[in-house]
Amino acid sequence: MKDTILVTRSSMPSLEEFMEEIAPIWESHWLTNMGPEHTKLQEQLQEYLQVEHVDLLTNGHMALELSMQALGLRGEVITTPFTFASTTHAIVRNGLKPVFCDVDPEDFTIDVSKIEDLITERTSAIVPVHVYGNICRIEEIERIAEKYSLKVIYDAAHTFGETYKGRGIGSYGDVSCFSFHATKVFNTIEGGAVCFRDPEFGRKLYNLKNFGIRSQECVEAVGANAKMNEFCAAMGICNLRHIDAEIRKREAVSTHYRERLAGVKGLQLNPVRDDVKCNYGYFPVVFHEEEFGASRDDVFLALKQEGIAARKYFYPITSSFECYRDLYDVDETPVAKYLGDRVLTLPLYADLPPEDADRICDILLRCGSSCG
Ligand code: T4K
């Protein structure tokens, strides 16, 4: 039996490099609450992400949840169900109602032609997801948001380091929220960030991540505890030194997959765009069973039997979660439902050897020919 291959593997610096970065923490005894490592990473990320302002949080989920709170959203929020649980939960946990818009069949992002029909007098925001690092139709979203005075909060969890038309992706919308979870292109073990332009929003967010405390004697809002600690920030500082090389290695794996799988009947791959600098975070494949000859679940099982843990990101779509039973109608987003039932995300990380990528492709392609 060959070694198990998981869907991803965290990028890490050498132990020596991390030890060197955390040594001053032992001197200072300053472990959290916006210490020097936090400040240093924040400054470095502002530059790397090409954004006006960035704040660091415990994770991408709290970045979304507290951003919505800081913006004071009310009523309904238009979003997509083809995403991780976090996007929808953040809306619901703010007491807001998610209104699900369908997705584009080619790139899985919000179908902008369907947004306006969903807007009511209760709508306060749009929460589009740059899913798998595929950039949403930004200009059209901006046009709609301006026309109806809506806030735009991008779930940018998958887009670390990406640019669109030469601009850092975090600079679009009112707010963009990143995840720095262990499974992401860039990680701080657990972590997240919010990029924004309005300093007043930034002040509110900063307080909200620290219980809503404005000063020692004034608590101005019902906040949470979502501060990134010094060890996580130190991990980020180390990982940031290697990020460009890591992304290049991911690109090589993605290219390898693409060479083997592009053009195969019944397989749909992520679209490639000239105006986007991509981070190669995920390699989703949609299996159109009728043409390919095998279903997503056939391939999932065949890989599993060989110790390869591809993942069904994002199945089930969030509107069909058990916790939202009877609240939403999945048939209102037929494309999201269709894709959720057919997509499989192949293993992808910087050090995935080409022979493993080949083995994965061999098993996958064999499924198509044997079942078809
Ligand atoms: N919005 C979107 C669109 C998101 O995708 C996410 C998170 C968020 C918001 C929220 O951001 P965070 O609050 O998480 O920062 C994983 C991640 O936990 C989650 O961050 C991510 N999206 C989601 C797509 O995937 P699981 O439950 O699939 O993770 P898990 O534990 O099964 O790990 C997957 C594989 O990663 C493992 O098989 C091996 C590898 N791994 C995992 C861990 C935990 C490592 O190599 N090292 C590790 O430490 O959710």
Side-chain angles (χ1 to χ4, degrees):
M1 178 80 176
K2 301 240 176 42
D3 285 347
T4 302
I5 302 174
L6 300 176
V7 70
T8 193
R9 197 166 73 149
S10 299
S11 294
M12 294 173 77
S14 70
L15 184 57
E16 293 71 29
E17 184 177 351
F18 187 60
M19 298 286 273
E20 198 177 316
E21 191 62 42
I22 62 173
I25 300 176
W26 258 260
E27 300 297 317
S28 68
H29 288 239
W30 194 274
L31 306 180
T32 185
N33 287 13
M34 287 69 87
E37 294 293 297
H38 181 286
T39 306
K40 183 169 156 188
L41 179 61
Q42 196 169 22
E43 286 168 4
Q44 292 181 355
L45 284 177
Q46 188 187 346
E47 193 184 329
Y48 189 84
L49 296 174
Q50 305 171 36
V51 291
E52 264 180 66
H53 302 286
V54 59
D55 200 357
L56 308 180
L57 289 92
T58 37
N59 54 57
H61 179 78
M62 290 311 288
L64 283 168
E65 205 173 301
L66 295 184
S67 291
M68 291 177 202
Q69 188 180 351
L71 286 168
L73 302 187
R74 294 277 172 273
E76 297 175 0
V77 170
I78 296 172
T79 188
T80 52
F82 189 80
T83 181
F84 191 56
S86 174
T87 324
T88 305
H89 286 355
I91 295 168
V92 174
R93 287 169 58 85
N94 265 289
L96 301 161
K97 181 179 173 212
V99 173
F100 292 107
C101 184
D102 213 349
V103 298
D104 183 289
E106 298 303 320
D107 69 7
F108 324 100
T109 67
I110 194 163
D111 182 341
V112 286
S113 69
K114 300 194 174 132
I115 296 177
E116 285 191 85
D117 285 347
L118 299 172
I119 294 174
T120 69
E121 70 280 3
R122 293 180 297 281
T123 310
S124 60
I126 310 173
V127 179
V129 185
H130 300 304
V131 64
Y132 308 130
N134 294 339
I135 304 306
C136 299
R137 305 279 182 303
I138 284 182
E139 287 83 359
E140 184 59 8
I141 291 168
E142 273 175 10
R143 184 194 69 76
I144 295 169
E146 205 168 308
K147 181 170 166 192
Y148 296 92
S149 300
L150 304 176
K151 299 288 184 198
V152 179
I153 299 120
Y154 282 109
D155 183 334
H158 300 174
T159 57
F160 187 86
E162 295 199 335
T163 62
Y164 172 59
K165 296 190 173 166
R167 248 175 74 185
I169 195 63
S171 67
Y172 292 94
D174 292 282
V175 170
S176 289
C177 300
F178 289 85
S179 164
F180 302 157
H181 184 259
T183 54
K184 296 293 188 292
V185 169
F186 168 77
N187 84 78
T188 59
I189 308 172
E190 288 269 6
V194 180
C195 299
F196 55 94
R197 275 171 291 173
D198 176 13
E200 178 54 16
F201 165 87
R203 192 193 63 75
K204 284 188 189 156
L205 180 75
Y206 184 88
N207 291 348
L208 283 174
K209 76 172 184 176
N210 188 25
F211 308 99
I213 295 172
R214 188 164 74 197
S215 66
Q216 286 190 10
E217 296 183 7
C218 175
V219 180
E220 68 171 16
V222 185
N225 181 359
K227 295 164 266 124
M228 181 182 284
N229 70 56
E230 291 291 276
F231 291 90
C232 289
M235 184 68 146
I237 290 164
C238 295
N239 279 335
L240 196 58
R241 291 187 193 117
H242 308 284
I243 188 70
D244 292 334
E246 291 289 294
I247 291 176
R248 276 197 300 276
K249 285 158 93 180
R250 284 176 166 274
E251 179 179 10
V253 179
S254 287
T255 305
H256 199 84
Y257 274 142
R258 203 167 274 280
E259 280 165 6
R260 294 283 318 267
L261 303 177
V264 174
K265 216 163 154 239
L267 296 189
Q268 179 188 332
L269 309 184
N270 238 2
V272 179
R273 287 173 62 171
D274 290 341
D275 50 8
V276 174
K277 185 176 135 232
C278 181
N279 69 10
Y280 307 96
Y282 293 86
F283 200 93
V285 180
V286 178
F287 293 86
H288 300 284
E289 184 177 357
E290 306 69 31
E291 297 101 82
F292 180 62
S295 70
R296 180 272 306 274
D297 290 344
D298 293 332
V299 178
F300 174 81
L301 284 176
L303 289 168
K304 193 172 168 201
Q305 276 160 9
E306 299 280 343
I308 297 162
R311 290 291 289 268
K312 299 179 192 177
Y313 296 135
F314 289 99
Y315 169 85
I317 57 172
T318 65
S319 51
S320 66
F321 282 179
E322 178 66 22
C323 58
Y324 297 130
R325 192 156 39 151
D326 299 333
L327 287 177
Y328 311 109
D329 182 359
V330 291
D331 294 330
E332 285 179 1
T333 56
V335 179
K337 165 107 177 62
Y338 178 93
L339 293 169
D341 289 343
R342 287 166 181 78
V343 72
L344 193 63
T345 307
L346 302 186
L348 175 56
Y349 43 91
D351 292 324
L352 185 78
E355 44 290 9
D356 281 349
D358 272 328
R359 191 155 71 86
I360 290 164
C361 292
D362 290 342
I363 297 165
L364 184 160
L365 293 170
R366 224 180 296 133
C367 278
S369 49
S370 63
C371 301

